[in-house]
Structure formats: structure tokens, C-alpha cells
Amino acid sequence: MRLKNHCSIKKKKNSFRLILFSNLNKLLHIKKTSMIEYENLGELNKPFFEEFEKSFHKSLLSGWYILGKNVENFENEFAAYCTSKYCLGVASGLDALILALKAFDFKNGDEVIVPSNTYIATILSIMHCGLKPVLVEPNISTYNIDPSKIEEKITSRTKAILVVHLYGKVCEMDKIKTICEKHNLKLIEDCAQAHGARFKDKQAGTFGDFGCFSYYPTKNLGAIGDAGSITTDNTDLKEKIKKLRNYGSSVKYVNELIGYNSRLDEIQAGFLSIKLKKLNEINTHKRFLAGIYLKSLKNDFIKPDVQKDYFDVYHIFNIRHPKRNELKEYLLKNNIKTEIHYPIAPHKQEAMKGVFGKEIYPISEEIHQTTLSLPISYFHTEKDIIKVIDVMNKF
Ligand SMILES: Cc1ncc(COP(=O)(O)O)c(C=O)c1O
């Protein structure tokens, strides 16, 4: 009897728990669906799933998985998109930067000028090549390297300027090119965040000796894994990169250079060709959403700079606010997820201890302490952005 009773109590408890759980799940579901996410790669790529599946099957059946037709097609398509003579697929954005620097045969300890507020990959690429990164502060309005501060950092060992078109805005390339010509410096562009961005109608990746692209999944042109590429107009440099990415070899088992294994794979190249056809549409959508933010966010927030010479593609739409952390918390409480690009300045990272001595970078630090990136994915709707604005304007 007791046992029976015990069992029935247990059963009742269990069914109560079940109801509780299913209600909790429903609640969570409601909460989940009302949450405005910062990014959701599944949602972002949903419109491409059908074509991806077809392309994947075709690659699988082809039996050719490395450096084949898909890579060649994508390279030609992306070169044409950028109005560049050549494009070469590599394994990642970091590799693109490393191979571009390696192509010049700089000497150990040679210096490369680079912005102090970038994603750490840009600086790492210089260090991985045995070169010395020399940091230059950004312009506080554009967040890109300040051309007026470059020349004071040039020494007899300076060999190149590695610019970063941060957040999807191209740097002031006319001034930077003039400095490069005056001091006989190579020019490399980190275009990881700037697919399709333009300055004075010229595409990112076509100003310097090399344009280095990342196709990390969140980028405006993102793969379904790691991928990257290098654009150039220089035939000799193109040939060198072609060898460097493939064990220093252009003829099988003949190795002319100390190369790497950094090849874009056939499956990713197939996916990238599909998404490249929609890159302009992706950029147009992000620019449309950015336009709503720019128009309707109250002026307590420092908004991105907009100038007529720039065609910005808003890989990231950031604002700045002195109470950034409080704002981020407040938005999360109101079901809006945001990100920080980036919370710690590169020179303050543990990995960089001792690399930059006692030099200070106050503008860079100010940006890192106050910047907040708002939702602006291809899958976000006008309604999503209006909700973010409504909540933000009450902060
Ligand atoms: C500015 C910048 N440079 C380089 C990279 C490195 O690209 P990847 O992650 O493909 O190596 C990134 C990627 O996030 C980036 O944002």
C-alpha cells in the first residue's frame, strides 16, 4: 500500500515536473524567439542551403578535393568582382596576411607599420614572419589608421604598411599610397572586414601590392568554415603566392621555396561562389540597416562616420558610449545581444607582453573601452533594427 502510494506520488511528481518542464521550454522558446541575436550563422546561410547541398554533392562526386575547378572558378570570379587581375585562394585570412608578407623576402627584424586598433591577427601575421610590428594610432572618427601619424614612425628598417579596412570602411588610401611611394614601402591591405567596400569608387584589395581577405563564416562573404584569399595585379607576386601556399611548389614534388600548406578547399570554394553572387545584396541589406541606425539612434551614441568618398559595407556597425558595459547589460536584459570588437587592445594582450615596450596608445584604448557592435546581419529585418533603436533610445 505504502509502496503503491509512494509510486503514485512519484508519478504525480513526475507528471508535474513534465508539465513544469514543458511550460519552461515554451517560455524559453518564447524568450528565444523574441531575443534579437547578434549573429546566427544558420539563419544567415538558410537562403543558400539548397544550392550549398547541390554544390557539396557535386564536389563529393567529383573525387577532386584540393585545388581544382571550384577554386579556380572562385578565384576568377572574386578577382573580377574586386576588379583585380588575380585572386588566389588560401586557408584563412591570417594565412593570406602571412603569405603576402613572406612574398617580399623581408629580413628578420624589418619593420611593418600597422594600426594599433585591429583584430590581433593582423599583428600576429607580422610577428609570425619574424618582422617587427610598429603600431600607429587610429583616427577617432573613422577607427582606421591615421595617415597623419604614419611618417613619424618610419625608420630605415620600415619596409611596408599593412592597413586594415576596419568594420567595412576603407582607409584613406590616397594619402597612404602617397606615403608608400615617397618612402618606397610595400602596401598590403587587410580586407578581412571589407569585401566590396570602396574608397573613391575603388575596391578594397586593389590599392596595394596585395589585398588579403578572410572568409571566416561571419564575414560579409563568409564560408562554412575557414577560408581566405589574396588579390594582386602583379604577375610575379601571384606566381610566388601560388608556390608559397603549396609547399613552395608549382610542379609536383619540385620545391623551389620554403612553402606552407595553405590551400582553399574545393568544398568551401563551391560555397563561396554561390554566396559571391549575393555579396552585393548582402552589402546593400547591411547598408540599409545601417542607414536606419544612423538616422534614428539618438545622438548620445557616437555613430560611425559617413563621408561621400566612402562606400562602407558595415561588416560591423559600432557605436561608442562612455557607459558601454552598462549599455550592453541593459540591452541584454531587453533581449538584445551585442558584441564588442574588441574588448582588449592588441598591445594590452597577454601574448604581446614586452613587444611594444612602454609606448601608450590612448586613442586605441578609448575605442576599445567604449565601442559596442549592434546587430546587423543579413538575416536581421528592419523591424529588428527598429526594436534595437527603440530600446537604445530609452537608455
Ligand atoms: C581584421 C582582421 N584581420 C584578419 C583576420 C583573420 O582572418 P581569419 O580568421 O580568417 O584567419 C580577421 C578575422 O577575424 C580580421 O577581422
Side-chain angles (χ1 to χ4, degrees):
M1 185 66 185
R2 268 184 85 187
L3 194 66
K4 205 179 161 197
N5 259 351
H6 178 73
C7 278
S8 69
I9 288 168
K10 208 171 173 187
K11 254 188 197 166
K12 266 187 200 159
K13 258 192 185 169
N14 278 346
S15 60
F16 175 69
R17 253 185 218 150
L18 269 176
I19 293 166
L20 199 75
F21 272 123
S22 79
N23 281 343
L24 195 68
N25 271 339
K26 271 183 208 153
L27 268 174
L28 281 175
H29 185 66
I30 289 164
K31 216 171 168 200
K32 209 169 105 191
T33 49
S34 68
M35 175 71 80
I36 297 182
E37 295 180 85
Y38 179 74
E39 185 58 282
N40 181 329
L41 295 174
E43 284 299 317
L44 165 67
N45 284 311
K46 234 182 218 165
F48 309 106
F49 278 1
E50 227 178 283
E51 277 190 87
F52 281 174
E53 278 168 16
K54 277 188 203 148
S55 168
F56 174 71
H57 277 277
K58 214 171 144 198
S59 302
L60 201 60
L61 289 171
S62 77
W64 191 281
Y65 304 133
I66 302 281
L67 296 183
K69 272 268 164 294
N70 283 356
V71 170
E72 207 179 304
N73 288 342
F74 174 70
E75 288 174 342
N76 290 334
E77 290 158 5
F78 195 66
Y81 179 86
C82 292
T83 66
S84 184
K85 234 180 183 165
Y86 309 108
C87 168
L88 290 171
V90 295
S92 70
L94 174 63
D95 278 7
L97 293 164
I98 291 175
L99 298 192
L101 287 163
K102 276 279 168 189
F104 291 119
D105 295 318
F106 295 139
K107 304 264 176 310
N108 251 13
D110 279 346
E111 295 171 8
V112 178
I113 285 179
V114 64
S116 53
N117 73 317
T118 178
Y119 181 55
I120 199 154
T122 327
I123 296 169
L124 288 178
S125 69
I126 300 169
M127 295 170 73
H128 282 308
C129 293
L131 305 167
K132 186 179 168 203
V134 175
L135 306 186
V136 169
E137 284 269 70
N139 175 310
I140 191 72
S141 303
T142 65
Y143 308 123
N144 279 335
I145 193 165
D146 185 340
S148 73
K149 296 194 171 111
I150 292 178
E151 282 192 290
E152 67 202 54
K153 294 285 183 99
I154 293 175
T155 71
S156 58
R157 294 218 68 176
T158 308
K159 293 292 181 294
I161 303 181
L162 171 43
V163 296
V164 183
H165 307 312
L166 203 70
Y167 300 159
K169 180 193 279 301
V170 177
C171 299
E172 292 174 75
M173 294 311 291
D174 41 5
K175 291 182 190 163
I176 294 167
K177 264 185 92 82
T178 306
I179 296 170
C180 285
E181 278 154 22
K182 184 174 158 195
H183 296 272
N184 195 23
L185 304 175
K186 302 295 180 196
L187 177 57
I188 300 167
E189 301 169 67
D190 181 341
C191 308
Q193 304 189 1
H195 314 75
R198 299 198 293 267
F199 173 66
K200 296 189 175 168
D201 271 337
K202 200 168 158 53
Q203 290 263 5
T206 62
F207 293 90
D209 298 283
F210 287 120
C212 300
F213 290 84
S214 161
Y215 304 114
Y216 182 76
T218 57
K219 303 301 189 206
N220 287 24
L221 179 57
I224 315 301
D226 276 315
S229 78
I230 304 175
T231 52
T232 184
D233 280 347
N234 184 312
T235 310
D236 293 340
L237 288 177
K238 183 258 297 181
E239 287 303 324
K240 196 146 186 202
I241 296 287
K242 217 169 171 178
K243 288 175 195 162
L244 281 172
R245 76 173 173 184
N246 191 30
Y247 296 112
S249 163
S250 53
V251 176
K252 207 172 180 186
Y253 303 131
V254 179
N255 306 88
E256 298 159 65
L257 300 171
I258 299 184
Y260 297 79
N261 174 357
S262 181
R263 302 171 296 217
L264 173 61
D265 76 67
E266 281 290 286
I267 290 172
Q268 294 303 339
F271 294 157
L272 285 167
S273 282
I274 291 162
K275 278 183 91 174
L276 178 58
K277 283 186 260 157
K278 292 285 169 154
L279 177 56
N280 284 342
E281 195 177 305
I282 292 168
N283 285 346
T284 302
H285 186 68
K286 285 169 84 88
R287 283 171 56 80
F288 167 67
L289 300 181
I292 306 173
Y293 278 132
L294 288 164
K295 184 166 161 244
S296 305
L297 270 178
K298 64 179 178 178
N299 287 332
D300 296 23
F301 306 110
I302 301 172
K303 295 178 240 179
D305 197 45
V306 180
Q307 303 273 350
K308 74 169 178 27
D309 285 338
Y310 296 82
F311 184 87
D312 303 326
V313 295
Y314 298 100
H315 167 57
I316 285 166
F317 185 96
N318 82 314
I319 56 96
R320 287 196 299 115
H321 193 277
K323 291 188 177 153
R324 188 269 314 276
N325 292 345
E326 249 176 70
L327 174 63
K328 188 172 175 31
E329 275 293 304
Y330 161 80
L331 289 171
L332 190 59
K333 274 194 197 128
N334 284 281
N335 292 331
I336 296 164
K337 286 192 185 165
T338 54
E339 288 286 342
I340 297 171
H341 298 95
Y342 299 92
I344 305 170
H347 68 278
K348 292 231 154 179
Q349 295 284 359
E350 178 73 18
M352 297 289 159
K353 230 179 186 170
V355 175
F356 301 110
K358 288 199 168 71
E359 282 224 39
I360 54 164
Y361 302 94
I363 300 174
S364 194
E365 281 176 32
E366 166 75 17
I367 295 168
H368 285 79
Q369 280 156 21
T370 55
T371 192
L372 187 68
S373 309
L374 306 182
I376 189 158
S377 177
Y378 183 46
F379 76 86
H380 284 123
T381 61
E382 183 175 2
K383 208 169 136 204
D384 292 331
I385 304 310
I386 289 169
K387 178 171 174 205
V388 177
I389 292 168
D390 281 348
V391 173
M392 284 186 70
N393 284 350
K394 290 184 191 123
F395 180 69

